[in-house]
Amino acid sequence: MYVSIVRSSHILSCSCSSSSFLKHSTNNNTYRTAHGTSSIDASPKWGRSELRLKTVVYAQQRPTWLPGLDPPSYLDGTLAGDFGFDPLGLGEDPESLKWYVQAELVHARFAMAGVAGILFTDLLRVTGISDLPVWYEAGATKFSFASTRTLFIVQLLLMGFAETKRYMDFTNPGSQAKEGSFFGLEAALEGLEPGYPGGPLLNPLGLAKDIKNAHEWKLKEIKNGRLAMVAMLGIFVQANVTHVGPIDNLVKHLSNPWHETIIQTLAGS
């Protein structure tokens, strides 16, 4: 983008799309803009009555969830997956925004694990490989190796321990990697930053070791996580309407797409 201002004729020519990007005074040679810097060409050939201002504006091509949207000032695009979506203004407080980022990340990972587990077990059940219950009835299944109460207590202890460690690392980053904080296994965890633990236990493939420059990996994860959360919502609604698993619904749809999906939906049955 190029801006040329001639003071003697007060003509401004601009080949840019930004409406408010220039902020300057005529006493310095270098100027600040919203998207870059500007400089004055005050060579003698222009004389004292003419001053040419050349501004190079580097506009950031930032995608937003709604084309043409002006994102909130506190969502500056530095967060992974930040597309300016915050209609309720929940992230105005910087401390709250940090927590919401971690909460979304955890929910995204749970959703990805949940969708994968539901589809995998449903596939085993539909194909007859294993006699597994449909996913929304799995919680009522009785196991011979332990009672429901025992399983609940074990899960409560394990999940409580993991979530407590995660919260402590959020409030005091790096504290859970100190020697003696995890039964001598701190080196195996090798936390990268809050929300991104590493080491051979939680990062066996060694992906994104340089977490500060792993924006692409973070973006891929949060995009897939958001998609999984939407998929989980769809699976919940689908199970409530059809009372079968997602693979059953897929097989039924493929058997007669027009009748089973469109006609039945329009008929409300």
Side-chain angles (χ1 to χ4, degrees):
M1 297 182 181
Y2 178 82
V3 178
S4 176
I5 300 177
V6 181
R7 293 186 62 185
S8 60
S9 57
H10 303 286
I11 298 175
L12 172 65
S13 61
C14 178
S15 61
C16 60
S17 59
S18 177
S19 58
S20 59
F21 57 88
L22 199 56
K23 189 175 182 180
H24 63 84
S25 63
T26 56
N27 295 325
N28 299 320
N29 291 332
T30 302
Y31 294 76
R32 293 287 181 184
T33 68
H35 303 287
T37 58
S38 60
S39 60
I40 295 178
D41 184 358
S43 56
K45 65 179 180 179
W46 293 104
R48 301 186 66 178
S49 62
E50 293 183 355
L51 184 63
R52 187 179 182 185
L53 174 65
K54 296 180 179 178
T55 302
V56 179
V57 182
Y58 299 97
Q60 182 181 8
Q61 301 298 326
R62 179 186 172 188
T64 56
W65 69 276
L66 185 64
L69 175 73
D70 187 15
S73 59
Y74 53 87
L75 296 179
D76 56 5
T78 56
L79 295 173
D82 175 13
F83 296 101
F85 182 80
D86 189 16
L88 300 180
L90 299 177
E92 291 183 6
D93 178 38
E95 294 302 318
S96 297
L97 181 59
K98 291 180 182 179
W99 176 252
Y100 287 137
V101 169
Q102 295 299 314
E104 182 186 33
L105 191 59
V106 172
H107 281 81
R109 289 168 177 169
F110 270 113
M112 288 188 285
V115 170
I118 289 173
L119 294 178
F120 180 70
T121 55
D122 215 40
L123 184 63
L124 294 178
R125 181 181 57 82
V126 171
T127 56
I129 297 177
S130 179
D131 185 20
L132 295 171
V134 68
W135 70 270
Y136 51 81
E137 295 178 353
T141 303
K142 302 295 182 180
F143 297 95
S144 59
F145 60 87
S147 65
T148 302
R149 180 179 297 179
T150 301
L151 292 175
F152 173 76
I153 294 175
V154 171
Q155 180 180 2
L156 186 64
L157 292 175
L158 293 178
M159 288 296 297
F161 176 77
E163 287 299 294
T164 301
K165 297 284 285 185
R166 184 178 68 84
Y167 180 75
M168 292 172 66
D169 190 61
F170 170 77
T171 55
N172 187 11
S175 62
Q176 303 309 298
K178 294 180 180 179
E179 185 177 355
S181 62
F182 193 67
F183 309 117
L185 300 176
E186 301 81 15
L189 295 174
E190 191 185 359
L192 302 175
E193 67 178 39
Y196 296 96
L201 292 180
L202 299 175
N203 188 16
L205 300 180
L207 302 176
K209 285 188 174 181
D210 184 8
I211 197 65
K212 300 298 181 183
N213 298 315
H215 184 77
E216 184 177 355
W217 285 105
K218 292 180 179 179
L219 180 60
K220 289 180 178 179
E221 181 184 34
I222 199 62
K223 279 185 174 181
N224 283 280
R226 289 169 179 171
L227 182 62
M229 286 189 281
V230 174
M232 282 300 304
L233 177 61
I235 291 174
F236 287 150
V237 174
Q238 189 181 62
N240 185 60
V241 173
T242 63
H243 305 289
V244 293
I247 301 299
D248 290 291
N249 280 291
L250 178 61
V251 172
K252 188 177 181 181
H253 165 73
L254 294 176
S255 65
N256 191 346
W258 174 259
H259 181 269
E260 294 294 342
T261 303
I262 301 178
I263 302 299
Q264 294 292 338
T265 301
L266 293 177
S269 59

